[in-house]
C-alpha cells in the first residue's frame, strides 16, 4: 500500500512564506562588499616549487591568449587546426587545466557527466573511467589535450600578465608580464577564467586566526597528508572547521569526515544535494558510440537542462531530471503558479531525501534548503548527507547569518567559540566583480582609454566577445556572454567563435576588427529583454553569486549581465553572426585599405 505523505507536505503558501523568510534573513546591506580577498600567502600556488625563474621572452605572434584553462586551450586548438600556430599562451599556474589545476581538494570531481563535460573526446580517443570524472582525471586529461595538440611549446607558465596596451600605429597589442616578457600580438584573447579568483568570507578577526587555514583551491596536502587520490593521514588528531556548504564543501566534507578527529561544518545557507549515482563507464557502450556522438550528447544535455525537453534524455541524471522544466519564465499568472508548484515539488524531493538519510531530525531540519531550484547551483552527492550521521561531524548552523566573528582559536557562533586546528575556506570565487579585478590587470585600448574607464558604467560588447574601443580583443567571460550548467559546452562554443573571428581575419587580410557601438547597444537590449524575463524569479531567490548577493541592480550591473536564456539560444546568436559574410555590426580594416 502506498504511504500517504500529503498530510505532512507543506502547502504552497507555507513554502512561499518560508522561502521569503529565509531570503530576508540572508540579505546583507554590504552585498558583494562582504567578501574578502586571499592574502598573498593564502593565494600562493602550493603545487609548484618556489624559486622558478626564466629569461624574459620578447616576441611577436599572431595571438596571445591569457589563460590556459579549457577556454584558452580550446581556442589555441581551434586556431591550430586552421594553421594559426604562432600563438602564445600566458598562464599564472604551473600547468594547463585552469580550474582543474587549482582545485585538487579531496573528493573534487565534476558534477556534470564526463562524456559531455570533457571536450574533444572523439579526437583524443580518451575514455573517462566514470560517469563523473574526478578532478585528478580531468587535470590529467587537460595535460593530454595539451600534448595531443602541441600546446606546451606555446605556454609561459607561472607568469601573470601585468598589462596590455593597444598600439594604434602597429595595430598590435603589447602585453607585459610579471617575468619581464614583451609580447606583441595582432590579437589578444582574454580567457582568464570564470571561477578563477578565490574569495574569503567576510568575518571580523579572520586575519587573527592562529591555526592553519587555506582555501579549497589551494589545498595543502603537506598539512593534511594524503593526496587527491590517497586518504589524508595527518588529520586523525585534528579538529577541522569548514566554512561554506556550496558545491565544493559538499564534495570535501565526506573526505574530512573520514580523516579528521572532529569536523565542524559552518553553514550559512544549506546546499541542495540530489542523488549522484556514480558508475564506472560501460566500456562496451562507450566503444559502440558512432562518430559525432559527443556533440549530439552535449547538445542533448544542454537541451534537457534548459527546459527544451528533447525527445530522448540521453544523460538522464539528477541534472536533467531536476531542470527538465525551466521554472524561471512564465507568460501568464496561471503558468507562473504552475511553474512555482513544479519548482517547490522538485525542491521538496531534495528536502525529503535529507529526512531519509540524516538520522538526527534536528540536524536534518537545519540541512534543508529553502530556495528555488534555479537560485543556486544544485549539487549531487551520495556521501555528503550520510557524513552528518558520523559522531565526529557537527553541523554548526548559523541561521542564515554566517560566521561573523573569529578569535585566534577559531570561529564564534552565537557566542560559542569553536577552537579548530585547521580551518578550510570553501567560500567560492568572485564571479560578478569587475573583469579587470578578476584578471588582475587593466587593458589600455584606443586613445589611451582603459577597459575599467570604458566600462566604468558597465560593459560594452557584442556577444560578450568583441568590445568597442579595444580592437582585436576577444573576450571569453560571463560578462555579456553565455551561461550554462555545462561550462565546458559554453567554453567550447566561445572558443570556437573567438577562433573563427581570428581565422576569418587572417583569411581575408583583416588587420583590425572592432564592433560598432550601435551593435553593442542592440546586444544589450537582447540581454535585458531576456534578463527581465527572469527577474521576478531571481527577486525571490536567496542571495548568491548568481544574483550578486541580491545587491540592487543599477544600470551598471544591468550592463554587466550574462545572457540568462538557454545556452543554445546564445550559441544560435553566435552561429548566425558567423554565417553572415558581412561581419554584421562590426568595423573591419583590411591590409589593402591601410
Ligand atoms: P560557493 O560560492 O557556491 O559557496 C560558498 C559558500 O560559503 C556558501 O555556502 C556560502 O553561503 C558560504 N559562506 C560565505 N560566507 C560565509 C560565512 N561567513 N559563514 C558561513 N558560510 C559562509 O562556492 P563553491 O566553491 O562551493 O562553488 C563555486 C562554484 O564552483 C559552483 O557554483 C560551481 O559553479 C563550481 N563548482 C563546480 C563543481 C563541479 O562539480 N562542476 C564542484 C565545485 C564547485 P551562502 O550560500 O549563504 O552564500
Amino acid at each position: 500500500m502506498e504511504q500517504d505523505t500529503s498530510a505532512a507536505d507543506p502547502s504552497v503558501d507555507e513554502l512561499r512564506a518560508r522561502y521569503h523568510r529565509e531570503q530576508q534573513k540572508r540579505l546583507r546591506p554590504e552585498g558583494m562588499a562582504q567578501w574578502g580577498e586571499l592574502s598573498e600567502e593564502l593565494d600562493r600556488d602550493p603545487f609548484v616549487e618556489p624559486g622558478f625563474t626564466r629569461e624574459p621572452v620578447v616576441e611577436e605572434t599572431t595571438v596571445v591568449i591569457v589563460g590556459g584553462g579549457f577556454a584558452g586551450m580550446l581556442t589555441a586548438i581551434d586556431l591550430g587546426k586552421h594553421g594559426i600556430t604562432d600563438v602564445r599562451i600566458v598562464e599564472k599556474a604551473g600547468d594547463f587545466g585552469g580550474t582543474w589545476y587549482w582545485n585538487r581538494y579531496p573528493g573534487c570531481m565534476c558534477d556534470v557527466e564526463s562524456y559531455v563535460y570533457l571536450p574533444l573526446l572523439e579526437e583524443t580517443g580518451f575514455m573517462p573511467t566514470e560517469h563523473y570524472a574526478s578532478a585528478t582525471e580531468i587535470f590529467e586529461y587537460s595535460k593530454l589535450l595539451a600534448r595531443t595538440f602541441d600546446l606546451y611549446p606555446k605556454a609561459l607558465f607561472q607568469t601573470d600578465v601585468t598589462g596590455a596596451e593597444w598600439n594604434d600605429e602597429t595595430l598590435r597589442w603589447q602585453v607585459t608580464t610579471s617575468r619581464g616578457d614583451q609580447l606583441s600580438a595582432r590579437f589578444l584573447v582574454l580567457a582568464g577564467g570564470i571561477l578563477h579568483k578565490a574569495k574569503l568570507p567576510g568575518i571580523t578577526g579572520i586575519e587573527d586566526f592562529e591555526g592553519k587555514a587555506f582555501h579549497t583551491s589551494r589545498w595543502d596536502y603537506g598539512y593534511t597528508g594524503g593526496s587527491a587520490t590517497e586518504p589524508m593521514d595527518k588529520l586523525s588528531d585534528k579538529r577541522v572547521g569548514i566554512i561554506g556548504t556550496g558545491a565544493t564543501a559538499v564534495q570535501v566534507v565526506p573526505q574530512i569526515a573520514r580523516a579528521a578527529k572532529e569536523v565542524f561544518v559552518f553553514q550559512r545557507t544549506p546546499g541542495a544535494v540530489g542523488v549522484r549515482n556514480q558508475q564506472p563507464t560501460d566500456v562496451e557502450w562507450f566503444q559502440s558510440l558512432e562518430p559525432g556522438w559527443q556533440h549530439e550528447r552535449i547538445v542533448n544535455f544542454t537541451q534537457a537542462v534548459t527546459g527544451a525537453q528533447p525527445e530522448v534524455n540521453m544523460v538522464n541524471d539528477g541534472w536533467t531530471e531536476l531542470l527538465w522544466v525551466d521554472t524561471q519564465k512564465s507568460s501568464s499568472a496561471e503558468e507562473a503558479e504552475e511553474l512555482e508548484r513544479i519548482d517547490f515539488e522538485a525542491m521538496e524531493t531534495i528536502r525529503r531525501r535529507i529526512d531519509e538519510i540524516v538520522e538526527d531530525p534536528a540536524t536534518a531540519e537545519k540541512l534543508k534548503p529553502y530556495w528555488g531550484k534555479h537560485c543556486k547551483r544544485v549539487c549531487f552527492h551520495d556521501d555528503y548527507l550520510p557524513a552528518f550521521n558520523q559522531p565526529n561531524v557537527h553541523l554548526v548552523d548559523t541561521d542564515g547569518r554566517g560566521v561573523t566573528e573569529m578569535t585566534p582559536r577559531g570561529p564564534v557562533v552565537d557566542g560559542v567559540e569553536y577552537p579548530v586546528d585547521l580551518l578550510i575556506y570553501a567560500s567560492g570565487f568572485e564571479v560578478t566583480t569587475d573583469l579587470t579585478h578578476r584578471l588582475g590587470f587593466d587593458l589600455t585600448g584606443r586613445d589611451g582609454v582603459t577597459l575599467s574607464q570604458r566600462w566604468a558604467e558597465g560593459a560594452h560588447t557584442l556577444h560578450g566577445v568583441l568590445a568597442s574601443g579595444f580592437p582585436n580583443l576577444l573576450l571569453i567571460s560571463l560578462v555579456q556572454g553565455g551561461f550554462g550548467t555545462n561550462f565546458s559546452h559554453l567554453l567550447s562554443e566561445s572558443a570556437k567563435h573567438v577562433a573563427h573571428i581570428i581565422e576569418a581575419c587572417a583569411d581575408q587580410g583583416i588587420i583590425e576588427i572592432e564592433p560598432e557601438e550601435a551593435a553593442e547597444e542592440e546586444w544589450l537590449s537582447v540581454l535585458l529583454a531576456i534578463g527581465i524575463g527572469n527577474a521576478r524569479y531571481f527577486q525571490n531567490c536567496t542571495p548568491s553569486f548568481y544574483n550578486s548577493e541580491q545587491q540592487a541592480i543599477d544600470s551598471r550591473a544591468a550592463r554587466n549581465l550574462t545572457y540568462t536564456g538557454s545556452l543554445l539560444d546564445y550559441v544560435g546568436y553566435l552561429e548566425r553572426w558567423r554565417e553572415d559574410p558581412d561581419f554584421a555590426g562590426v568595423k573591419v580594416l583590411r591590409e589593402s585599405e591601410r
Side-chain angles (χ1 to χ4, degrees):
M1 207 179 96
E2 271 188 27
Q3 202 187 343
D4 178 14
T5 53
S6 55
D9 285 346
S11 71
V12 163
D13 283 343
E14 282 166 341
L15 281 175
R16 209 178 275 155
R18 178 74 194 259
Y19 278 30
H20 184 69
R21 275 203 312 280
E22 296 297 334
Q23 183 211 43
Q24 294 297 306
K25 273 185 210 169
R26 290 171 172 81
L27 295 177
R28 298 167 71 112
E30 67 272 37
M32 299 273 287
Q34 69 181 276
W35 298 100
E37 294 200 12
L38 267 59
S39 63
E40 208 172 299
E41 179 51 26
L42 283 182
D43 201 22
R44 201 181 54 77
D45 182 348
F47 312 117
V48 290
E49 293 298 325
F52 167 76
T53 58
R54 64 166 171 78
E55 288 301 308
V57 173
V58 180
E59 67 178 9
E60 285 194 3
T61 54
T62 300
V63 186
V64 163
I65 298 175
V66 183
F70 278 170
M73 294 175 81
L74 291 169
T75 304
I77 290 169
D78 235 321
L79 289 169
K81 286 181 188 165
H82 198 81
I84 300 175
T85 52
D86 62 330
V87 172
R88 180 55 82 187
I89 303 172
V90 187
E91 167 58 58
K92 93 180 215 181
D95 210 325
F96 285 109
T99 270
W100 305 105
Y101 172 91
W102 294 106
N103 286 283
R104 305 190 194 187
Y105 58 80
C108 185
M109 62 167 69
C110 183
D111 58 5
V112 171
E113 194 203 60
S114 53
Y115 321 121
V116 298
Y117 183 79
L118 292 177
L120 305 177
L121 284 178
E122 288 189 64
E123 295 185 44
T124 58
F126 180 81
M127 183 185 78
T129 55
E130 294 173 294
H131 276 215
Y132 303 95
S134 68
T136 309
E137 186 161 293
I138 304 176
F139 181 37
E140 288 306 315
Y141 185 68
S142 306
K143 293 190 264 183
L144 174 77
L145 276 178
R147 289 194 303 274
T148 307
F149 294 97
D150 205 23
L151 300 186
Y152 276 106
K154 302 181 183 2
L156 294 176
F157 292 126
Q158 299 192 55
T159 304
D160 289 291
V161 170
T162 50
E165 189 168 352
W166 174 251
N167 185 323
D168 241 333
E169 296 295 312
T170 60
L171 304 189
R172 299 180 73 88
W173 282 97
Q174 299 304 131
V175 180
T176 51
T177 77
S178 55
R179 304 263 170 207
D181 308 310
Q182 297 284 338
L183 310 174
S184 164
R186 177 72 71 204
F187 299 96
L188 176 62
V189 179
L190 298 187
I194 291 171
L195 297 164
H196 149 81
K197 195 169 167 52
K199 58 184 166 57
L200 285 185
I203 301 175
T204 308
I206 192 168
E207 62 289 344
D208 298 334
F209 177 64
E210 287 175 355
K212 174 76 182 174
F214 51 75
H215 188 272
T216 44
S217 64
R218 302 287 186 276
W219 197 272
D220 185 348
Y221 282 105
Y223 181 87
T224 63
S227 69
T229 52
E230 291 150 333
M232 293 172 284
D233 53 6
K234 293 190 188 167
L235 293 181
S236 57
D237 59 346
K238 299 281 189 292
R239 289 163 62 93
V240 179
I242 177 162
I243 297 199
T245 46
T248 298
V250 162
Q251 297 178 344
V252 173
V253 166
Q255 305 298 325
I256 47 175
R258 272 177 209 132
K261 184 173 161 208
E262 302 284 340
V263 180
F264 299 88
V265 181
F266 296 95
Q267 173 178 274
R268 186 164 76 177
T269 307
V273 190
V275 175
R276 174 69 307 165
N277 192 20
Q278 172 71 301
Q279 299 285 332
T281 296
D282 176 342
V283 179
E284 215 175 297
W285 164 78
F286 193 82
Q287 287 172 347
S288 75
L289 293 165
E290 299 285 338
W293 70 267
Q294 197 185 18
H295 182 67
E296 192 189 356
R297 196 173 179 92
I298 288 171
V299 170
N300 182 274
F301 177 76
T302 297
Q303 286 172 333
V305 295
T306 51
Q309 303 179 1
E311 249 171 60
V312 186
N313 178 356
M314 290 178 168
V315 172
N316 195 17
D317 68 357
W319 275 120
T320 60
E321 195 182 317
L322 187 90
L323 300 180
W324 190 251
V325 181
D326 180 352
T327 54
Q328 298 171 89
K329 284 185 214 78
S330 53
S331 48
S332 66
E334 293 76 38
E335 196 193 3
E337 240 174 72
E338 173 61 4
L339 293 180
E340 186 183 40
R341 192 190 56 73
I342 292 171
D343 200 305
F344 282 152
E345 257 173 31
M347 292 302 282
E348 273 298 289
T349 309
I350 297 241
R351 289 187 282 266
R352 276 197 292 272
R353 181 168 186 250
I354 300 169
D355 283 329
E356 285 157 18
I357 295 174
V358 178
E359 288 156 11
D360 173 43
T363 305
E365 207 46 48
K366 288 177 188 157
L367 283 168
K368 288 183 185 166
Y370 285 94
W371 40 264
K373 67 186 176 124
H374 297 280
C375 291
K376 282 174 180 280
R377 194 172 174 98
V378 171
C379 312
F380 300 93
H381 210 283
D382 294 339
D383 298 334
Y384 177 71
L385 294 170
F388 292 93
N389 293 333
Q390 290 182 216
N392 64 328
V393 178
H394 316 283
L395 178 67
V396 184
D397 181 49
T398 62
D399 196 24
R401 292 184 304 278
V403 175
T404 52
E405 194 189 335
M406 186 96 73
T407 71
R409 284 154 52 84
V412 178
V413 175
D414 288 333
V416 178
E417 185 190 58
Y418 293 85
V420 290
D421 301 296
L422 167 63
L423 194 52
I424 299 164
Y425 299 118
S427 43
F429 303 86
E430 293 186 18
V431 180
T432 55
T433 51
D434 286 351
L435 182 64
T436 47
H437 178 70
R438 277 180 283 136
L439 285 168
F441 66 95
D442 209 347
L443 298 107
T444 307
R446 208 187 276 294
D447 302 325
V449 177
T450 63
L451 192 66
S452 51
Q453 287 168 338
R454 170 74 178 134
W455 288 11
E457 296 309 320
H460 300 257
T461 79
L462 178 61
H463 305 138
V465 176
L466 293 165
S468 62
F470 298 84
N472 298 6
L473 173 69
L474 298 121
L475 298 152
I476 300 180
S477 86
L478 295 183
V479 183
Q480 297 196 350
F483 189 74
T485 300
N486 181 4
F487 264 38
S488 125
H489 185 189
L490 167 65
L491 299 179
S492 301
E493 290 295 341
S494 303
K496 187 195 289 178
H497 190 67
V498 163
H500 168 91
I501 293 172
I502 297 173
E503 289 156 12
C505 289
D507 289 349
Q508 298 179 35
I510 293 169
I511 48 175
E512 193 180 67
I513 183 164
E514 186 183 346
E516 289 164 1
E517 291 189 28
E520 292 181 326
E521 291 308 301
E522 237 176 80
W523 178 240
L524 178 67
S525 55
V526 170
L527 296 173
L528 292 175
I530 294 283
I532 284 165
N534 296 0
R536 194 192 57 84
Y537 186 93
F538 277 102
Q539 249 171 31
N540 297 322
C541 280
T542 187
S544 77
F545 72 75
Y546 275 33
N547 50 44
S548 296
E549 307 296 340
Q550 284 294 7
Q551 206 162 269
I553 300 193
D554 55 14
S555 57
R556 184 171 190 273
R559 287 199 84 98
N560 291 341
L561 270 181
T562 51
Y563 182 88
T564 54
S566 159
L567 171 56
L568 292 167
D569 293 343
Y570 172 71
V571 170
Y573 279 99
L574 302 186
E575 282 174 349
R576 285 191 295 281
W577 186 86
R578 294 201 296 266
E579 279 160 16
D580 179 353
D582 294 332
F583 296 99
V586 166
K587 298 175 276 191
V588 295
L589 176 71
R590 290 187 160 77
E591 181 92 69
S592 54
E593 298 160 349
R594 208 177 178 209

